[in-house]
Amino acid sequence: DGLAKLRVLLRAVCIRRTKALLVNSLPERVVEVHRLRLEGTQRVAYDAIFASTQFIFQGLMASGEADVMRNYASVLECLLRLRQVCDAVALVPPERLERAMQVAKEVEERAKELAKHKGKQKAITA
């Protein structure tokens, strides 16, 4: 009963505008691309978050597109953190940055192991 009253009140107060209603009054879309040169801790933080984001996204893609759609909030959070690093590293929660650096380090170590293993395979087959 209380929920029904709340819905009635919200319908009276809230204005629901869809894109179709606003299509003629919306300004033209403008896309601006800004290229930044990151240095020092900002570059290290960006690279760590980028590497961990790439690892997460590749894992989701390997599981299937449905997994990506179920975890879209996670993907959006990763993009948010990349944008925050571009503004200021202090905007990224320290525990999130630490976790990203750990994942990036693990990815780098795995890549080195794979490269070493491939080198051994080539030597054996040659």
Side-chain angles (χ1 to χ4, degrees):
D1 189 43
L3 187 59
K5 287 180 182 179
L6 179 62
R7 284 187 182 145
V8 170
L9 176 65
L10 286 176
R11 274 196 199 122
V13 175
C14 294
I15 299 172
R16 177 156 170 83
R17 295 180 288 176
T18 62
K19 191 173 181 178
L21 290 172
L22 299 174
V23 75
N24 294 329
S25 62
L26 292 174
E28 190 172 317
R29 186 167 131 181
V30 176
V31 176
E32 292 182 23
V33 176
H34 298 271
R35 300 210 183 270
L36 305 172
R37 177 162 293 165
L38 304 176
E39 296 176 356
T41 57
Q42 199 173 19
R43 169 51 66 188
V44 170
Y46 187 91
D47 288 345
I49 292 175
F50 184 83
S52 69
T53 298
Q54 191 175 31
F55 180 74
I56 291 166
F57 189 72
Q58 286 174 346
L60 289 173
M61 287 300 291
S63 299
E65 192 175 320
D67 275 350
V68 174
M69 295 311 295
R70 276 194 297 274
N71 293 293
Y72 73 91
S74 221
V75 173
L76 292 176
E77 186 266 341
C78 291
L79 292 172
L80 169 69
R81 299 303 175 210
L82 288 169
R83 290 175 60 192
Q84 286 175 329
V85 167
C86 289
D87 285 337
V89 176
L91 293 173
V92 180
E95 62 277 357
R96 176 62 173 92
L97 186 55
E98 183 62 36
R99 196 167 12 119
M101 288 185 164
Q102 287 172 347
V103 169
K105 185 177 178 182
E106 289 173 17
V107 168
E108 186 178 327
E109 288 171 1
R110 286 183 188 176
K112 285 179 183 178
E113 286 178 28
L114 286 173
K116 185 194 268 187
H117 183 68
K118 283 185 179 182
K120 287 181 182 177
Q121 274 187 329
K122 285 182 182 178
I124 292 171
T125 58

